[in-house]
Amino acid sequence: MEVIVQRDYAQMSKVAAQIVAELLNTKPNAVLGMATGSTPLGLYQELVRLHEKEQLDFSRVTTFNLDEYVGLPGNHPQSYHYFMHEHFFRHVNIPAHNINIPSGTTSNYPAFCEWYEKRITECGGIDLQILGIGTDGHIGFNEPTSSLSSRTRLKTLSKQTIDDNARFFERREDVPVYAITMGVGTILEARQLILVASGKTKAKAIAQAVEGPVTSMVTASALQLHRDAVVIVDEEAAARLTMRDYYEFIYAAKPAAPRS
Ligand code: GLP
């Protein structure tokens, strides 16, 4: 796993966007795995800037989102459909039929999950999956004790995740209890993973995921099993990493490392 520590959120977002842009420059028809949450917002803003100012082209890109709340229709302001449209899709030129987001309102969840997995395979698999991390160490909505081989499925949110995400809803009771999420096994099949984390509330989860044991109690620790995973963090999220000097030494010695 490669760990890149950047001084702040803006730099973290730029470095992550640069990795996505490099992939699109070499593979214009790449399949991207998208994440929601507040952390990737800066990364999406930077991709939009590159699209508008530097002609970064998304016209042949296909996307698959990680997850969606169960019970929220696509026009609900807290749905991940709405989030993605608002913060990214409406600003770039990805054809609508190339955008895939799990349905939060299907009448048959098992059939939908199976279809979603099949669709990823039909599109050639995910080239690059963007990830955030929950304070409980989750990726997607793979809460503690999720199987590290899990596939797209319904998942019950942990109390901690409901508490964390309550800030986006009017009342805590409004936070959906279930979500549909790609599994850890699905995520690990992407050819490249980039995980972004910012702020001190993520420091513990990042230390556990990067330097702790591989465990289903911290599903982000499964990134240790992946051959091409990059974790990009700001100073605060890096605060509990014990090997930081080593990560910085590696990054500084890398001639073609993305910088701005
Ligand atoms: C949700 C999403 C995750 C995301 C996490 C952290 O639970 N399902 O994919 O990583 O939130 O969100 P934030 O970046 O807002 O801290």
Side-chain angles (χ1 to χ4, degrees):
M1 175 186 307
E2 183 181 0
V3 182
I4 302 176
V5 183
Q6 291 293 300
R7 66 170 180 270
D8 57 23
Y9 178 75
Q11 276 303 111
M12 176 208 79
S13 304
K14 271 194 172 182
V15 170
Q18 205 48 49
I19 295 174
V20 179
E22 273 165 23
L23 170 68
L24 296 189
N25 287 330
T26 52
K27 188 174 182 187
N29 63 343
V31 179
L32 298 180
M34 312 305 284
T36 49
S38 43
T39 314
L41 281 174
L43 154 59
Y44 294 148
Q45 273 162 19
E46 177 61 10
L47 288 177
V48 170
R49 192 191 69 77
L50 290 172
H51 171 66
E52 288 170 352
K53 304 274 187 284
E54 296 184 25
Q55 292 80 49
L56 183 63
D57 182 30
F58 292 85
S59 64
R60 295 170 63 200
V61 166
T62 298
T63 63
F64 285 91
N65 262 79
L66 276 174
D67 47 15
E68 178 58 288
Y69 288 117
V70 163
L72 299 192
N75 61 0
H76 188 289
Q78 296 312 329
S79 74
Y80 288 165
H81 278 74
Y82 189 91
F83 175 101
M84 287 308 299
H85 182 73
E86 224 22 53
H87 297 292
F88 188 56
F89 294 141
R90 77 185 177 93
H91 306 285
V92 294
N93 60 336
I94 303 175
H97 60 267
N98 283 5
I99 294 172
N100 301 280
I101 306 178
S103 165
T105 53
T106 171
S107 55
N108 186 340
Y109 282 96
F112 180 85
C113 293
E114 210 174 297
W115 175 83
Y116 202 69
E117 290 275 341
K118 223 173 92 207
R119 180 103 189 98
I120 294 174
T121 309
E122 277 166 9
C123 292
I126 293 172
D127 289 301
L128 185 155
Q129 175 67 56
I130 298 165
L131 298 164
I133 187 169
T135 58
D136 63 1
H138 72 218
I139 45 176
F141 270 127
N142 292 286
E143 298 289 31
T145 73
S146 289
S147 161
L148 300 186
S149 305
S150 50
R151 313 300 308 188
T152 303
R153 70 210 182 292
L154 262 191
K155 195 69 205 159
T156 309
L157 304 192
S158 71
K159 189 181 162 300
Q160 192 173 330
T161 297
I162 294 175
D163 288 344
D164 287 347
N165 292 356
R167 68 187 193 278
F168 299 112
F169 293 81
E170 239 169 72
R171 298 168 310 163
R172 189 183 184 281
E173 308 84 86
D174 296 337
V175 185
V177 174
Y178 301 101
I180 184 166
T181 181
M182 277 187 207
V184 182
T186 320
I187 293 168
L188 289 179
E189 277 173 16
R191 286 181 271 279
Q192 187 179 10
L193 304 177
I194 57 175
L195 185 148
V196 282
S198 160
K200 53 180 187 294
T201 58
K202 300 292 172 69
K204 184 175 172 213
I206 283 295
Q208 288 176 322
V210 174
E211 296 178 346
V214 174
T215 169
S216 65
M217 289 300 287
V218 179
T219 54
S221 67
L223 266 67
Q224 294 176 33
L225 301 170
H226 196 279
R227 60 193 290 185
D228 192 358
V230 187
V231 173
I232 309 163
V233 289
D234 66 5
E235 296 271 351
E236 287 188 342
R240 292 174 72 165
L241 289 172
T242 62
M243 303 276 288
R244 177 171 167 176
D245 289 353
Y246 179 57
Y247 310 138
E248 289 183 335
F249 175 61
I250 295 172
Y251 189 62
K254 209 173 138 185
R259 293 155 212 269
S260 69

PDB file of all heavy atoms in Angstrom, residues 14-16 36 64 71-72 105 118 125 169-170 186 191 209 231 255:
ATOM      1  N   LYS A  14      -6.157  17.367  -4.686  1.00  0.00           N
ATOM      2  CA  LYS A  14      -5.445  17.562  -5.959  1.00  0.00           C
ATOM      3  C   LYS A  14      -4.660  16.321  -6.341  1.00  0.00           C
ATOM      4  O   LYS A  14      -4.672  15.907  -7.507  1.00  0.00           O
ATOM      5  CB  LYS A  14      -4.474  18.739  -5.838  1.00  0.00           C
ATOM      6  CG  LYS A  14      -5.089  20.062  -6.188  1.00  0.00           C
ATOM      7  CD  LYS A  14      -4.003  21.101  -6.377  1.00  0.00           C
ATOM      8  CE  LYS A  14      -4.625  22.372  -6.911  1.00  0.00           C
ATOM      9  NZ  LYS A  14      -3.647  23.404  -7.170  1.00  0.00           N
ATOM     10  N   VAL A  15      -3.956  15.769  -5.373  1.00  0.00           N
ATOM     11  CA  VAL A  15      -3.141  14.575  -5.659  1.00  0.00           C
ATOM     12  C   VAL A  15      -4.054  13.423  -6.096  1.00  0.00           C
ATOM     13  O   VAL A  15      -3.764  12.710  -7.058  1.00  0.00           O
ATOM     14  CB  VAL A  15      -2.293  14.190  -4.424  1.00  0.00           C
ATOM     15  CG1 VAL A  15      -1.646  12.826  -4.607  1.00  0.00           C
ATOM     16  CG2 VAL A  15      -1.218  15.248  -4.192  1.00  0.00           C
ATOM     17  N   ALA A  16      -5.185  13.283  -5.424  1.00  0.00           N
ATOM     18  CA  ALA A  16      -6.123  12.204  -5.784  1.00  0.00           C
ATOM     19  C   ALA A  16      -6.674  12.441  -7.195  1.00  0.00           C
ATOM     20  O   ALA A  16      -6.734  11.513  -8.015  1.00  0.00           O
ATOM     21  CB  ALA A  16      -7.256  12.144  -4.760  1.00  0.00           C
ATOM     22  N   THR A  36     -19.150   8.584  -2.189  1.00  0.00           N
ATOM     23  CA  THR A  36     -19.832   9.795  -1.709  1.00  0.00           C
ATOM     24  C   THR A  36     -19.252  10.175  -0.341  1.00  0.00           C
ATOM     25  O   THR A  36     -18.186   9.698   0.026  1.00  0.00           O
ATOM     26  CB  THR A  36     -21.350   9.545  -1.627  1.00  0.00           C
ATOM     27  OG1 THR A  36     -21.530   8.319  -0.929  1.00  0.00           O
ATOM     28  CG2 THR A  36     -21.967   9.464  -3.005  1.00  0.00           C
ATOM     29  N   PHE A  64     -19.443   3.474 -11.632  1.00  0.00           N
ATOM     30  CA  PHE A  64     -20.244   2.662 -10.704  1.00  0.00           C
ATOM     31  C   PHE A  64     -20.094   3.260  -9.322  1.00  0.00           C
ATOM     32  O   PHE A  64     -18.962   3.387  -8.829  1.00  0.00           O
ATOM     33  CB  PHE A  64     -19.741   1.208 -10.682  1.00  0.00           C
ATOM     34  CG  PHE A  64     -20.141   0.430 -11.897  1.00  0.00           C
ATOM     35  CD1 PHE A  64     -19.316   0.384 -13.008  1.00  0.00           C
ATOM     36  CD2 PHE A  64     -21.351  -0.251 -11.928  1.00  0.00           C
ATOM     37  CE1 PHE A  64     -19.690  -0.317 -14.145  1.00  0.00           C
ATOM     38  CE2 PHE A  64     -21.735  -0.960 -13.062  1.00  0.00           C
ATOM     39  CZ  PHE A  64     -20.901  -0.995 -14.172  1.00  0.00           C
ATOM     40  N   GLY A  71     -34.399   3.228   0.586  1.00  0.00           N
ATOM     41  CA  GLY A  71     -35.619   3.982   0.896  1.00  0.00           C
ATOM     42  C   GLY A  71     -35.587   5.410   0.400  1.00  0.00           C
ATOM     43  O   GLY A  71     -36.612   6.084   0.415  1.00  0.00           O
ATOM     44  N   LEU A  72     -34.423   5.894  -0.038  1.00  0.00           N
ATOM     45  CA  LEU A  72     -34.389   7.272  -0.529  1.00  0.00           C
ATOM     46  C   LEU A  72     -34.477   7.285  -2.053  1.00  0.00           C
ATOM     47  O   LEU A  72     -33.629   6.708  -2.735  1.00  0.00           O
ATOM     48  CB  LEU A  72     -33.099   7.988  -0.102  1.00  0.00           C
ATOM     49  CG  LEU A  72     -32.828   8.150   1.395  1.00  0.00           C
ATOM     50  CD1 LEU A  72     -31.672   9.129   1.613  1.00  0.00           C
ATOM     51  CD2 LEU A  72     -34.050   8.616   2.159  1.00  0.00           C
ATOM     52  N   THR A 105     -34.450   2.089  -4.167  1.00  0.00           N
ATOM     53  CA  THR A 105     -35.909   1.916  -4.172  1.00  0.00           C
ATOM     54  C   THR A 105     -36.358   0.717  -5.007  1.00  0.00           C
ATOM     55  O   THR A 105     -37.519   0.646  -5.397  1.00  0.00           O
ATOM     56  CB  THR A 105     -36.588   3.185  -4.738  1.00  0.00           C
ATOM     57  OG1 THR A 105     -35.999   3.479  -6.006  1.00  0.00           O
ATOM     58  CG2 THR A 105     -36.421   4.372  -3.814  1.00  0.00           C
ATOM     59  N   LYS A 118     -23.123  -8.095 -12.061  1.00  0.00           N
ATOM     60  CA  LYS A 118     -23.004  -8.575 -13.431  1.00  0.00           C
ATOM     61  C   LYS A 118     -22.655  -7.424 -14.383  1.00  0.00           C
ATOM     62  O   LYS A 118     -21.829  -7.549 -15.276  1.00  0.00           O
ATOM     63  CB  LYS A 118     -24.327  -9.228 -13.864  1.00  0.00           C
ATOM     64  CG  LYS A 118     -24.113 -10.525 -14.637  1.00  0.00           C
ATOM     65  CD  LYS A 118     -25.403 -11.251 -14.925  1.00  0.00           C
ATOM     66  CE  LYS A 118     -25.932 -10.821 -16.280  1.00  0.00           C
ATOM     67  NZ  LYS A 118     -27.352 -10.899 -16.464  1.00  0.00           N
ATOM     68  N   GLY A 125     -14.991  -4.634 -15.576  1.00  0.00           N
ATOM     69  CA  GLY A 125     -14.449  -4.454 -14.217  1.00  0.00           C
ATOM     70  C   GLY A 125     -14.072  -2.998 -13.988  1.00  0.00           C
ATOM     71  O   GLY A 125     -13.950  -2.210 -14.931  1.00  0.00           O
ATOM     72  N   PHE A 169     -29.007  15.031   7.927  1.00  0.00           N
ATOM     73  CA  PHE A 169     -30.471  14.897   7.958  1.00  0.00           C
ATOM     74  C   PHE A 169     -31.046  15.832   9.013  1.00  0.00           C
ATOM     75  O   PHE A 169     -30.337  16.252   9.937  1.00  0.00           O
ATOM     76  CB  PHE A 169     -30.864  13.444   8.283  1.00  0.00           C
ATOM     77  CG  PHE A 169     -30.498  12.466   7.198  1.00  0.00           C
ATOM     78  CD1 PHE A 169     -29.198  11.973   7.080  1.00  0.00           C
ATOM     79  CD2 PHE A 169     -31.444  12.048   6.268  1.00  0.00           C
ATOM     80  CE1 PHE A 169     -28.845  11.085   6.065  1.00  0.00           C
ATOM     81  CE2 PHE A 169     -31.108  11.161   5.250  1.00  0.00           C
ATOM     82  CZ  PHE A 169     -29.811  10.675   5.148  1.00  0.00           C
ATOM     83  N   GLU A 170     -32.348  16.087   8.894  1.00  0.00           N
ATOM     84  CA  GLU A 170     -32.979  16.977   9.857  1.00  0.00           C
ATOM     85  C   GLU A 170     -32.972  16.370  11.259  1.00  0.00           C
ATOM     86  O   GLU A 170     -32.646  17.015  12.236  1.00  0.00           O
ATOM     87  CB  GLU A 170     -34.420  17.248   9.427  1.00  0.00           C
ATOM     88  CG  GLU A 170     -34.693  18.724   9.217  1.00  0.00           C
ATOM     89  CD  GLU A 170     -36.014  18.940   8.548  1.00  0.00           C
ATOM     90  OE1 GLU A 170     -37.037  18.726   9.233  1.00  0.00           O
ATOM     91  OE2 GLU A 170     -36.018  19.289   7.342  1.00  0.00           O
ATOM     92  N   THR A 186     -16.028  -7.103  -3.792  1.00  0.00           N
ATOM     93  CA  THR A 186     -16.259  -6.360  -5.040  1.00  0.00           C
ATOM     94  C   THR A 186     -15.207  -5.257  -5.171  1.00  0.00           C
ATOM     95  O   THR A 186     -14.597  -5.075  -6.228  1.00  0.00           O
ATOM     96  CB  THR A 186     -17.668  -5.694  -5.023  1.00  0.00           C
ATOM     97  OG1 THR A 186     -18.613  -6.580  -4.445  1.00  0.00           O
ATOM     98  CG2 THR A 186     -18.099  -5.268  -6.408  1.00  0.00           C
ATOM     99  N   ARG A 191      -9.019  -2.602 -10.253  1.00  0.00           N
ATOM    100  CA  ARG A 191      -7.587  -2.728 -10.551  1.00  0.00           C
ATOM    101  C   ARG A 191      -6.730  -1.761  -9.741  1.00  0.00           C
ATOM    102  O   ARG A 191      -5.571  -2.013  -9.490  1.00  0.00           O
ATOM    103  CB  ARG A 191      -7.357  -2.553 -12.055  1.00  0.00           C
ATOM    104  CG  ARG A 191      -7.813  -3.804 -12.817  1.00  0.00           C
ATOM    105  CD  ARG A 191      -7.587  -3.703 -14.301  1.00  0.00           C
ATOM    106  NE  ARG A 191      -8.726  -3.118 -14.974  1.00  0.00           N
ATOM    107  CZ  ARG A 191      -9.837  -3.796 -15.301  1.00  0.00           C
ATOM    108  NH1 ARG A 191      -9.957  -5.071 -14.990  1.00  0.00           N
ATOM    109  NH2 ARG A 191     -10.838  -3.199 -15.911  1.00  0.00           N
ATOM    110  N   ALA A 209      -6.464   1.039   9.612  1.00  0.00           N
ATOM    111  CA  ALA A 209      -6.560   0.480   8.253  1.00  0.00           C
ATOM    112  C   ALA A 209      -5.183   0.258   7.637  1.00  0.00           C
ATOM    113  O   ALA A 209      -4.951  -0.757   6.985  1.00  0.00           O
ATOM    114  CB  ALA A 209      -7.375   1.428   7.364  1.00  0.00           C
ATOM    115  N   VAL A 231      -3.369   5.356  -0.331  1.00  0.00           N
ATOM    116  CA  VAL A 231      -4.124   6.065   0.705  1.00  0.00           C
ATOM    117  C   VAL A 231      -3.580   7.493   0.750  1.00  0.00           C
ATOM    118  O   VAL A 231      -2.381   7.689   0.949  1.00  0.00           O
ATOM    119  CB  VAL A 231      -3.958   5.353   2.064  1.00  0.00           C
ATOM    120  CG1 VAL A 231      -4.590   6.171   3.186  1.00  0.00           C
ATOM    121  CG2 VAL A 231      -4.571   3.955   2.008  1.00  0.00           C
ATOM    122  N   PRO A 255      10.212   9.716  -8.590  1.00  0.00           N
ATOM    123  CA  PRO A 255      10.387  10.819  -9.545  1.00  0.00           C
ATOM    124  C   PRO A 255       9.103  11.301 -10.205  1.00  0.00           C
ATOM    125  O   PRO A 255       8.908  12.499 -10.371  1.00  0.00           O
ATOM    126  CB  PRO A 255      11.351  10.248 -10.590  1.00  0.00           C
ATOM    127  CG  PRO A 255      11.534   8.813 -10.276  1.00  0.00           C
ATOM    128  CD  PRO A 255      10.902   8.499  -8.981  1.00  0.00           C
TER     129      PRO A 255
END
